[in-house]
C-alpha cells in the first residue's frame, strides 16, 4: 500500500508532539501492521488547525485527488484539523478516493458506523478545545489591558522589565531605562532631522559605522520597529485618535477622556508567534489601552514620525512602468529579492535590477552588480517565446524535487512476467523430480525467485505512483504553456503591471547569478 502521513505543530502550544515524532510514530505503526510499498511525508510546522490554509496539507490533498495515496495515517485526529466542517470535507474526499484513514492515538476504526461516529465526536471536542484556548488567550490579553501591564518577553526599546505587586499579585511591568531612552530618542530625532527614508537611513548608519546595542548593523526592520514602538509615547487624546483611525480595538476601560499624557501606551496582539519568528498582525487585531508604564516621548514627536512613515509608504505615485521581473527576481549570490532603481541619462531613463543587500550593507555582504532591467526582461521573454513555439521545452523549467527512480512500469511488467514464467517452469520440474535429491535445490530456487517477485511487485507499485505523478506534472506543464501563450499573444494588450502580475503567478523561482538567468515554473 502507498502510505502518506501528515504532521502538524500548533502555533498555540509548544507541548504538542513534534512533527518528526509524529512522522516516526506513524511510520512505525504502518510498518508493524501493513505491507508498506511507499511512505510519503507531508507536514506543516507552526500552523493552526483552525483552518486548512496550510501548504503541506494542500499538497497532500492534491496527491490524494490524483490517486497517489492508498492510506493516510496521522498521530492524532486534530493534527488534520480542529474544525468539524473542514475535517468532514477532508474525510469526504478520502472516502470518495477510497483512501483508508488511520488515527493512532484515538485508535478509531472508520470501517464501522460506530467508528465514524466516534471520529466526529472527537473532532467536535477538538474544535471546542481550540475555541476555548483562543478565548482564554483573548481574555488574558484583555485582563492585562485593564491594568496596562507587560505581557512578557523582552521589554521594548528604552525600557527594562521588573516584577511588581498589584492588588496582592505579582505582575511584570516596564520602567524607563535612562540609557535606552537616550538611544531611542536619538533614532527618532535622526529620522526627523535628516528627512530620510528607512532604506537611506539604514545605508547611512552602515556607512557611518553606527550599530545596534548588540554591536550589529541596523536592518530595515529594526529601524522600523524602533520608530513604530508605541509604548514610550504619552497617552494623549491625539494618540488615542491615531490608533482609533487605524481600526484598532480601543479598550473600553481606557476611554478617550482618560488619555491625559501621564502614562505610556500599551498595545496587545500586535504580533503573533509563528515558526520561530514574529508576524505582524493587522491593526484591527490590536488591543490598545493606557499603559502602567511612564512615557518618555512627547506625543507630537511620535506622531510626526508616524505621519512621515505613512507618507513614505503611501504617497509614492508610480511614475514608470513596472519591469517584468519586479518582485520575482532574486540575487543568485545572497538570495535577496532584487529591487529596481532608475537613473536619468542623456538619452532617457534607464532601469536596473540591483541587490538590496549589497546597497544596504556593502560589497562585503554581496558582490552582485546591478543589471539593466531590459536585458533580463528580454531574456525571460525570449525563453517564453521559445516555449510558445515548442511546448515540450516547458519541461526544462518545471520544478520537480522528486528524484527519478530506475525502471519504468512497462519494463517492470516484463520482468515480473519473466520471473512468473521461471517459477512456473521450476514448479513443473519439481513435480517431475519426485523424491530425488534435486527437490531441495529446486525449492530453494523457487523461494529465491518468489522473493525477487515480491520485490519487483513493490517496485512496480512505486513506479505506477511515479507515473501518475508524471502525468500530473504533464497536466501542470500544459496549463503553464497555456498561460505563457496567453501572455505572449496578448503582450500588446496588457499593461506593464498586468504583465508583471501574470509572471508572478507563473514563475515560482527566478535567480540571476551575474551570467545566467535561472528560473522555474
Amino acid at each position: 500500500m502507498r502510505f502518506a502521513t501528515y504532521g502538524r505543530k500548533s502555533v498555540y502550544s509548544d507541548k504538542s508532539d513534534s512533527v518528526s515524532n509524529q512522522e516516526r510514530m506513524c511510520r512505525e505503526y504502518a510498518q508493524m501492521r501493513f505491507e508498506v510499498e511507499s511512505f510519503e511525508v507531508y507536514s506543516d510546522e507552526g500552523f493552526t488547525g483552525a483552518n486548512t490554509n496550510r501548504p503541506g496539507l494542500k499538497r497532500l490533498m492534491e496527491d490524494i485527488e490524483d490517486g497517489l495515496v492508498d492510506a493516510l495515517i496521522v498521530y492524532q485526529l486534530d493534527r488534520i484539523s480542529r474544525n468539524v466542517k473542514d475535517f468532514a470535507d477532508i474525510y469526504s474526499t478520502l472516502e470518495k478516493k477510497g483512501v483508508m484513514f488511520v488515527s493512532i492515538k484515538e485508535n478509531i476504526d472508520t470501517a464501522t458506523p460506530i467508528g465514524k461516529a466516534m471520529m466526529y465526536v472527537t473532532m467536535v471536542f477538538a474544535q471546542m478545545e481550540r475555541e476555548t484556548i483562543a478565548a482564554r488567550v483573548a481574555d488574558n490579553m484583555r485582563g492585562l489591558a485593564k491594568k496596562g501591564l507587560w505581557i512578557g518577553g523582552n521589554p521594548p526599546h528604552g525600557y527594562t522589565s521588573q516584577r511588581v505587586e498589584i492588588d496582592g499579585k505579582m505582575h511584570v511591568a516596564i520602567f524607563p531605562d535612562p540609557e535606552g531612552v537616550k538611544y531611542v530618542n536619538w533614532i527618532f530625532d535622526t529620522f526627523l532631522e535628516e528627512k530620510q527614508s528607512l532604506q537611506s537611513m539604514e545605508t547611512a548608519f552602515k556607512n557611518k559605522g553606527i550599530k545596534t546595542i548588540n554591536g550589529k548593523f541596523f536592518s530595515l526592520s529594526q529601524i522600523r520597529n524602533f520608530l513604530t514602538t508605541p509604548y514610550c509615547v504619552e497617552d494623549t487624546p491625539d494618540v488615542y485618535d491615531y490608533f482609533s483611525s487605524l481600526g484598532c480595538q480601543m479598550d473600553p476601560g481606557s476611554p478617550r477622556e482618560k488619555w491625559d499624557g501621564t502614562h505610556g501606551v500599551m498595545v496587545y496582539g500586535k504580533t503573533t508567534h509563528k515558526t520561530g519568528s514574529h508576524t505582524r498582525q493587522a491593526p484591527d487585531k490590536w488591543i490598545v489601552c493606557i499603559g502602567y508604564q511612564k512615557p518618555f516621548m512627547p506625543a507630537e514627536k511620535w506622531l510626526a514620525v508616524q505621519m512621515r512613515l505613512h507618507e513614505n509608504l503611501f504617497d509614492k505615485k508610480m511614475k514608470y512602468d513596472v519591469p517584468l521581473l519586479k518582485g520575482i527576481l532574486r540575487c543568485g549570490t545572497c538570495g535577496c529579492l532584487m529591487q529596481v532603481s532608475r537613473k536619468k541619462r542623456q538619452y532617457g531613463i534607464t532601469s536596473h535590477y540591483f541587490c538590496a543587500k549589497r546597497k544596504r550593507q556593502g560589497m562585503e555582504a554581496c558582490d552582485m552588480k546591478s543589471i539593466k532591467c531590459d536585458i533580463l526582461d528580454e531574456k525571460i521573454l525570449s525563453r517564453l517565446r521559445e516555449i510558445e513555439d515548442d511546448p515540450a521545452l516547458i519541461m526544462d523549467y518545471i520544478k520537480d524535487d522528486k528524484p527519478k527512480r530506475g525502471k519504468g512500469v512497462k519494463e517492470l511488467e516484463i520482468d515480473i512476467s519473466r520471473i512468473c514464467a521461471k517459477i512456473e517452469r521450476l514448479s513443473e520440474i519439481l513435480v517431475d523430480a519426485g523424491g530425488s535429491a534435486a527437490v531441495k535445490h529446486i525449492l530453494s530456487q523457487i523461494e529465491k525467485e518468489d522473493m525477487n517477485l515480491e520485490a519487483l511487485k513493490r517496485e512496480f507499485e512505486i513506479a505506477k505512483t511515479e507515473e501518475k505523478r508524471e502525468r500530473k506534472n504533464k497536466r501542470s506543464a500544459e496549463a503553464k504553456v497555456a498561460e505563457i501563450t496567453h501572455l505572449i499573444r496578448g503582450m500588446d494588450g496588457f499593461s506593464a503591471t498586468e504583465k508583471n502580475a501574470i509572471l508572478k503567478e507563473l514563475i515560482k523561482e527566478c535567480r540571476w547569478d551575474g551570467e545566467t538567468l535561472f528560473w522555474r515554473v
Side-chain angles (χ1 to χ4, degrees):
M1 295 178 69
R2 297 168 299 176
F3 268 86
T5 182
Y6 176 77
R8 178 181 63 81
K9 177 79 171 176
S10 174
V11 298
Y12 287 116
S13 173
D14 288 329
K15 297 178 182 178
S16 58
D17 289 283
S18 69
V19 169
S20 59
N21 277 341
Q22 293 173 48
E23 177 197 337
R24 177 182 55 79
M25 289 185 283
C26 290
R27 188 185 293 274
E28 290 174 354
Y29 185 94
Q31 290 173 343
M32 287 174 60
R33 291 166 175 78
F34 303 97
E35 186 175 334
V36 180
E37 294 159 3
S38 63
F39 197 89
E40 294 290 334
V41 179
Y42 305 81
S43 64
D44 289 301
E45 192 153 7
F47 284 85
T48 176
N51 58 63
T52 58
N53 187 24
R54 292 169 257 155
L57 182 61
K58 287 179 179 178
R59 285 194 302 105
L60 169 64
M61 297 312 296
E62 286 175 3
D63 285 352
I64 288 172
E65 288 283 1
D66 290 336
L68 303 178
V69 177
D70 296 323
L72 171 61
I73 182 169
V74 297
Y75 169 67
Q76 191 172 340
L77 280 175
D78 63 6
R79 298 304 88 194
I80 288 283
S81 177
R82 284 178 176 262
N83 181 287
V84 175
K85 182 181 181 302
D86 288 341
F87 182 83
D89 291 342
I90 290 170
Y91 186 70
S92 175
T93 300
L94 297 179
E95 283 192 307
K96 183 176 68 176
K97 292 295 180 179
V99 176
M100 184 180 78
F101 179 68
V102 177
S103 178
I104 297 175
K105 191 170 183 179
E106 292 86 2
N107 195 23
I108 292 174
D109 180 9
T110 57
T112 64
I114 188 67
K116 288 184 182 179
M118 286 302 298
M119 179 178 65
Y120 284 114
V121 168
T122 304
M123 284 308 305
V124 169
F125 280 104
Q127 178 171 333
M128 183 175 69
E129 181 186 12
R130 175 183 62 80
E131 292 172 351
T132 301
I133 291 171
R136 192 181 300 132
V137 170
D139 289 344
N140 185 46
M141 288 171 62
R142 290 189 180 93
L144 288 170
K146 291 177 181 178
K147 298 181 175 70
L149 294 165
W150 184 240
I151 200 169
N154 293 327
H157 306 300
Y159 285 94
T160 58
S161 59
Q162 298 177 27
R163 294 185 65 81
V164 294
E165 184 176 345
I166 301 176
D167 299 331
K169 291 184 178 181
M170 297 303 294
H171 297 278
V172 177
I174 53 176
F175 296 86
D177 167 50
E179 290 302 315
V181 168
K182 292 178 184 177
Y183 194 65
V184 173
N185 272 305
W186 175 76
I187 297 283
F188 271 73
D189 292 339
T190 301
F191 180 73
L192 288 173
E193 292 168 6
E194 300 293 335
K195 296 182 179 180
Q196 297 172 318
S197 66
L198 293 178
Q199 185 166 310
S200 60
M201 191 170 179
E202 180 193 29
T203 304
F205 281 1
K206 166 76 167 118
N207 293 337
K208 294 176 182 178
I210 298 170
K211 298 182 179 181
T212 66
I213 294 175
N214 296 326
K216 296 181 180 180
F217 285 111
F218 277 95
S219 68
L220 208 65
S221 59
Q222 284 175 316
I223 297 174
R224 176 176 287 279
N225 287 339
F226 265 104
L227 295 174
T228 57
T229 181
Y231 311 102
C232 60
V233 66
E234 298 170 334
D235 62 335
T236 66
D238 287 341
V239 174
Y240 179 98
D241 293 341
Y242 169 78
F243 283 109
S244 180
S245 69
L246 294 179
C248 301
Q249 302 176 41
M250 307 305 292
D251 178 50
S254 300
R256 188 175 185 274
E257 55 269 21
K258 287 189 176 181
W259 289 56
D260 57 7
T262 59
H263 291 83
V265 174
M266 192 61 72
V267 179
Y268 299 97
K270 195 175 181 182
T271 60
T272 58
H273 185 71
K274 184 175 180 180
T275 58
S277 62
H278 287 82
T279 304
R280 185 183 177 90
Q281 292 208 100
D284 62 353
K285 303 292 184 184
W286 304 356
I287 298 174
V288 182
C289 64
I290 296 172
Y292 178 88
Q293 77 277 11
K294 294 296 181 184
F296 62 76
M297 184 169 294
E300 295 77 15
K301 182 199 288 189
W302 189 85
L303 288 171
V305 168
Q306 309 316 305
M307 293 303 106
R308 275 279 312 281
L309 289 172
H310 277 271
E311 287 171 7
N312 292 345
L313 187 62
F314 297 114
D315 290 351
K316 291 181 180 178
K317 294 184 179 180
M318 191 159 301
K319 300 177 182 177
Y320 309 102
D321 285 343
V322 179
L324 278 177
L325 296 177
K326 180 177 171 60
I328 304 170
L329 182 67
R330 289 190 174 274
C331 172
T333 300
C334 68
C336 181
L337 191 67
M338 296 188 78
Q339 305 294 327
V340 176
S341 66
R342 294 178 175 85
K343 297 178 181 178
K344 192 172 183 180
R345 307 290 189 189
Q346 291 181 345
Y347 48 84
I349 302 294
T350 61
S351 300
H352 292 76
Y353 293 115
F354 70 92
C355 176
K357 186 172 183 178
R358 169 175 170 151
K359 183 171 182 179
R360 295 196 307 264
Q361 300 182 19
M363 285 186 62
E364 59 270 26
C366 180
D367 60 0
M368 178 61 64
K369 295 180 180 179
S370 63
I371 183 171
K372 285 185 178 180
C373 294
D374 291 345
I375 294 174
L376 293 192
D377 289 356
E378 185 52 41
K379 278 181 180 289
I380 200 79
L381 283 176
S382 66
R383 297 292 185 275
L384 296 179
R385 293 188 189 103
E386 289 173 5
I387 292 171
E388 184 201 8
D389 294 336
D390 184 2
L393 292 175
I394 189 66
M395 299 309 297
D396 294 337
Y397 302 97
I398 291 288
K399 189 174 183 180
D400 186 7
D401 298 326
K402 288 285 180 182
K404 300 297 180 184
R405 293 184 182 266
K407 295 181 179 180
V409 171
K410 290 184 179 180
E411 291 176 287
L412 289 168
E413 282 179 337
I414 293 171
D415 289 345
I416 289 171
S417 298
R418 179 178 53 79
I419 290 183
C420 286
K422 189 173 181 179
I423 292 173
E424 188 175 346
R425 288 196 303 273
L426 288 169
S427 299
E428 291 173 355
I429 294 170
L430 182 63
V431 172
D432 294 338
S436 70
V439 170
K440 186 176 180 181
H441 175 71
I442 296 169
L443 285 173
S444 175
Q445 285 293 104
I446 291 175
E447 185 178 352
K448 180 181 177 182
E449 294 301 333
D450 192 54
M451 290 174 63
N452 290 337
L453 179 62
E454 289 303 313
L456 279 173
K457 284 181 178 178
R458 287 193 294 271
E459 193 175 345
F460 176 74
E461 290 300 324
I462 293 171
K464 283 203 303 184
T465 299
E466 289 186 344
E467 198 173 73
K468 286 183 179 180
R469 218 181 276 277
E470 286 174 6
R471 287 199 294 269
K472 176 184 174 183
N473 284 341
K474 186 178 179 181
R475 291 196 301 272
S476 174
E478 290 170 351
K480 297 294 183 185
V481 170
E483 290 181 53
I484 290 169
T485 302
H486 175 64
L487 172 64
I488 296 299
R489 293 182 180 175
M491 185 65 72
D492 294 337
F494 293 121
S495 67
T497 303
E498 289 169 334
K499 294 172 190 174
N500 175 249
I502 292 171
L503 283 187
K504 280 183 177 178
E505 288 293 319
L506 176 67
I507 297 176
K508 303 305 179 187
E509 183 181 0
C510 186
R511 299 195 307 270
W512 170 247
D513 64 6
E515 294 182 1
T516 305
L517 182 66
F518 175 88
W519 58 282
R520 290 285 185 266
V521 294

